[in-house]
């Protein structure tokens, strides 16, 4: 008889310092699929949910897939949205299941619950009891709580940043759930952390450093008898909750003190390397000096607006980097995106080819760069829909919302209605901009852009434009975070 397996996904990385609440509309802007639409959206994609559908074919499972929803990182998820998404999942448990696979983020916070994933798992356990196995996949920036580890039998985090192994981690989770349902293993998970908010080189895996070394160590440990998974989490620091920060989760076969020993030993090493960072930050002025240097490579210079990264909860409308590019009179350049639905509507009203004066950006928090008064020509109007062609989220349909390309002097500026970070070449190509042919590209992203853009770049500069996702955590008014904690407080070495 076919095993009954429930698969679902509710994902949000919550920046609790953002002033933008995350409601159902924000989930719909990215995606909020229910029932049959889940299969249509994810079948054949290189995502965790895509892997779960493939696993069902391999193992002969009968699937339930009630909900798959995600929103661009932003402020706390509203109670209305949290309740609606959770209830969609819980209602599918009215009939018995043999196993559950969940694609979560691990750093979701709601208006009423700091540990949203732990709360969801607790509500699931109340329905199904302690014996039905649950496996969860997590972003490597998850803030993993003790409750999450106690309630999920299996925890598997991504091992790449940019996250290009989502499908592989989903298949890994599915294989372990199949073995658990077959009675081959009895997985249990423990988690360890230290008094630190930042570490593991922020999870970067594109350069050698603390994260890549820890992942190599984790892979060696997984060869030991009984050790099923060693998950390494860099944590998400822009979250004012008690357990924010790096952690190690070890999933082992059955109860064994050595799993706790492994987790604690690895966290000792995370603590020892806490100050390591492979990132070099440029000011806007420094970046402009590089951008104005002569170049004969024919490849674009990439300027990544790290501190206004919507992928970390940035508003996506900070203007300091774009202002620097305009003042520097750059030519054959592009910038994406400025999230500004009002400016898009003005461009739509003016029409394709129109030349107009308007203010763009700087409307959510002008302290991160005020609105820019510009004169430009409308070069493109569209609905912002595109299909990711990889390496991240390959095959997944996304939308930037109604959008416009405004040519301002020598810079093509993408104005979008939805907030999003740049991860895919199609975000430019779908609006008529060929990034390969540009000399300079400014984009809103911290690290995920590297998967698609680093291969085409002559050089990448990480720019600190002074906005919300600053790497200086001392700027933020933490109230719930456990204290003392590094690097906010003096800590013994």
């Amino acid at each position: 008889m076919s095993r009954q397996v429930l698969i679902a996904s509710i994902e949000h990385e919550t920046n609790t310092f953002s002033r933008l609440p995350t409601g159902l509309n924000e989930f719909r802007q990215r995606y909020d699929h229910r029932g049959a639409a889940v299969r249509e959206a994810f079948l054949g994609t290189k995502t965790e949910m895509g892997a779960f559908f493939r696993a069902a074919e391999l193992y002969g499972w009968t699937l339930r897939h009630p909900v798959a929803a995600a929103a661009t990182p932003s402020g706390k998820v509203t109670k209305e949205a949290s309740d609606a998404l959770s209830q969609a999942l819980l209602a599918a448990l009215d009939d018995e299941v043999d196993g559950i696979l969940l694609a979560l983020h691990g750093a979701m916070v709601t208006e009423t619950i700091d540990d949203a994933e732990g709360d969801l798992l607790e509500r699931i356990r109340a329905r199904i009891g302690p014996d039905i196995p649950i496996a969860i996949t997590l972003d490597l920036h998850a803030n993993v709580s003790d409750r999450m580890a106690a309630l999920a039998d299996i925890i598997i985090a991504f091992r790449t940043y940019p996250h290009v192994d989502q499908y592989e981690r989903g298949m890994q989770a599915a294989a372990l759930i199949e073995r658990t349902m077959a009675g081959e293993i009895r997985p249990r998970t423990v988690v360890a952390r230290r008094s630190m908010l930042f570490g593991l080189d922020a999870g970067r895996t594109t350069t050698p450093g603390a994260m890549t070394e820890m992942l190599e160590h984790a892979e060696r440990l997984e060869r030991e008898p009984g050790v099923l998974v060693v998950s390494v989490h860099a944590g998400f620091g822009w979250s004012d909750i008690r357990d924010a920060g790096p952690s190690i989760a070890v999933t082992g076969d059955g109860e064994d003190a050595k799993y706790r020993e492994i987790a604690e030993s690895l966290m000792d090493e995370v603590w020892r390397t806490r100050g390591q960072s492979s990132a070099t930050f440029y000011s806007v002025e420094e970046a402009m000096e590089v951008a104005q240097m002569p170049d004969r490579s024919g490849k674009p210079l990439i300027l990544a607006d790290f501190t206004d990264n919507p992928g970390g909860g940035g508003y996506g409308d900070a203007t300091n980097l774009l202002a620097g590019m305009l003042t520097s009179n750059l030519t054959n350049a592009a910038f994406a995106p400025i999230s500004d639905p009002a400016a898009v509507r003005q461009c739509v009203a003016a029409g394709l080819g129109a030349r107009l004066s308007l203010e763009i950006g700087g409307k959510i928090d002008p302290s991160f760069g005020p609105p820019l008064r510009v004169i430009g020509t409308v070069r493109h109007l569209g609905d912002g829909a595109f299909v990711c062609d990889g390496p991240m989220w390959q095959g997944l349909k996304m939308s930037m919302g109604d959008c416009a390309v405004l040519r301002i002097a020598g810079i093509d500026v993408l104005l979008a209605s939805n907030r999003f970070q740049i991860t895919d070449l199609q975000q430019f190509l779908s609006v008529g901009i060929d990034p390969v042919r540009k000399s300079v590209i400014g984009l809103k992203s911290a690290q995920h852009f590297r998967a698609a853009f680093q291969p085409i770049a002559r050089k990448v500069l990480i720019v600190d434009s002074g906005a919300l996702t600053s790497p200086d955590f001392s700027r933020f008014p933490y109230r719930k975070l456990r204290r003392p904690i590094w690097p906010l407080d003096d800590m013994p070495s």
Side-chain angles (χ1 to χ4, degrees):
M1 185 176 178
S2 174
R3 293 193 176 96
Q4 303 289 316
V5 177
L6 183 143
I7 65 171
S9 176
I10 301 174
E11 299 184 54
H12 190 251
E13 184 179 64
T14 306
N15 186 323
T16 62
F17 302 106
S18 168
R19 61 178 62 175
L20 298 177
T22 307
L24 283 171
N25 185 56
E26 283 66 38
F27 279 93
R28 295 183 187 116
Q29 286 178 353
R30 188 157 179 182
Y31 59 82
D32 180 3
H33 304 298
R34 309 293 175 96
V38 175
R39 179 182 175 85
E40 181 181 348
F42 286 95
L43 188 66
T45 64
K46 293 299 182 181
T47 63
E48 311 98 284
M49 290 294 287
F52 298 163
F53 280 108
R54 176 58 181 146
E57 296 173 357
L58 292 174
Y59 300 127
W61 298 339
T62 298
L63 288 184
R64 289 180 220 163
H65 36 83
V67 59
T72 291
S74 45
K76 291 182 180 181
V77 177
T78 65
K79 186 176 186 303
E80 176 195 25
S82 175
D83 287 349
L85 296 171
S86 298
Q87 189 53 44
L89 191 163
L90 294 170
L93 295 173
D94 288 344
D95 296 322
E96 291 185 1
V97 295
D98 298 301
I100 295 176
L101 283 164
L102 301 177
L104 306 175
H105 184 283
M108 179 170 159
V109 181
T110 77
E111 291 174 327
T112 56
I113 302 165
D114 286 349
D115 178 14
E117 286 89 354
D119 180 78
L120 177 62
L121 289 167
E122 194 167 88
R123 295 171 72 183
I124 292 171
R125 282 290 179 210
R127 291 285 189 101
I128 67 172
D131 299 326
I132 303 299
I134 301 174
I136 63 174
T137 59
L138 297 177
D139 192 291
L140 61 74
H141 294 109
N143 293 321
V144 182
S145 67
D146 293 341
R147 181 163 62 161
M148 290 164 62
L151 295 167
D153 302 282
I154 299 161
I155 291 180
I156 298 178
F158 305 153
R159 296 194 170 188
T160 57
Y161 180 37
H163 306 325
V164 296
D165 66 332
Q166 295 163 321
Y167 181 85
E168 289 76 9
R169 300 288 75 79
M171 291 300 292
Q172 182 183 12
L176 289 174
I177 274 289
E178 172 67 12
R179 293 179 63 194
T180 306
M181 293 188 297
E184 296 177 17
I185 54 174
R186 295 178 55 255
R188 297 291 183 270
T189 297
V190 296
V191 63
R193 66 184 65 81
R194 293 290 180 271
S195 295
M196 54 193 301
L197 182 62
F198 174 87
L200 290 164
D201 194 18
R204 298 181 187 91
T205 59
T206 48
T207 52
M211 186 66 176
T212 56
E213 292 171 5
M214 186 58 62
L215 287 170
E216 290 172 1
H217 196 174
E219 289 179 4
R220 289 194 297 270
L221 287 166
E222 287 178 351
R223 302 188 191 110
E224 293 190 6
V227 180
L228 301 174
V229 185
V230 178
S231 284
V232 183
H233 314 97
F236 185 68
W238 295 290
S239 185
D240 187 16
I241 62 171
R242 183 187 182 281
D243 287 333
S247 65
I248 301 288
V250 177
T251 300
D253 186 5
E255 304 284 351
D256 194 321
K258 78 174 183 179
Y259 307 139
R260 169 65 63 184
E261 292 170 4
I262 289 172
E264 297 294 347
S265 175
L266 291 180
M267 277 308 304
D268 286 341
E269 181 66 10
V270 175
W271 173 259
R272 189 187 69 80
T273 61
R274 63 193 180 279
Q276 292 185 11
S277 175
S278 63
T280 299
F281 292 90
Y282 289 73
S283 67
V284 171
E285 293 74 21
E286 291 167 337
M288 290 308 99
E289 290 178 7
V290 177
Q292 291 171 308
M293 292 178 181
D295 173 70
R296 295 183 180 178
S297 70
K299 295 182 177 182
L301 170 69
I302 305 296
L303 306 176
D305 197 351
F306 182 101
T307 52
D308 191 37
N309 170 30
Y315 297 136
D317 78 336
T319 58
N320 287 337
L321 177 55
L322 177 58
M325 293 173 66
L326 291 168
T327 302
S328 298
N329 297 315
L330 299 183
T331 59
N332 190 32
F335 190 94
I338 291 290
S339 300
D340 190 337
V344 172
R345 289 193 294 270
Q346 286 181 267
C347 290
V348 171
L352 194 63
R355 187 165 176 80
L356 71 161
S357 173
L358 73 168
E359 286 191 337
I360 61 173
K363 293 166 184 173
I364 298 175
D365 189 340
S367 70
F368 297 147
L372 299 179
R373 170 61 64 173
V374 299
I375 298 174
T377 302
V378 180
R379 303 280 296 182
H380 174 90
L381 296 170
D383 63 5
F386 66 98
V387 179
C388 298
D389 64 6
M392 278 186 65
W393 296 316
Q394 186 174 353
L396 195 62
K397 295 178 181 179
M398 301 281 239
S399 176
M400 300 176 284
D402 289 342
C403 61
V405 174
L406 192 66
R407 178 162 291 177
I408 309 168
I411 305 176
D412 287 333
V413 179
L414 172 58
L415 304 172
S417 296
N418 297 346
R419 293 172 51 257
F420 65 94
Q421 68 170 315
I422 295 294
T423 61
D424 201 287
L425 295 177
Q426 287 298 328
Q427 289 166 286
F428 283 94
L429 293 168
S430 65
V431 298
I433 299 172
D434 186 350
V436 174
R437 297 181 179 275
K438 293 297 183 182
S439 298
V440 181
I441 298 173
L443 51 79
K444 303 280 189 182
S445 186
Q447 173 76 357
H448 282 321
F449 72 92
R450 289 185 184 272
F453 288 83
Q454 191 154 304
I456 70 168
R458 72 174 186 262
K459 189 173 185 178
V460 170
L461 302 184
I462 304 301
V463 182
D464 182 348
S465 66
L468 182 64
T469 53
S470 168
D472 180 5
F473 293 112
S474 67
R475 288 181 45 189
F476 300 97
Y478 292 94
R479 295 183 178 88
K480 296 182 178 181
L481 184 65
R482 65 196 185 282
R483 304 296 286 266
I485 195 168
W486 187 88
L488 301 180
D489 305 305
D490 293 330
M491 301 289 294
S493 58

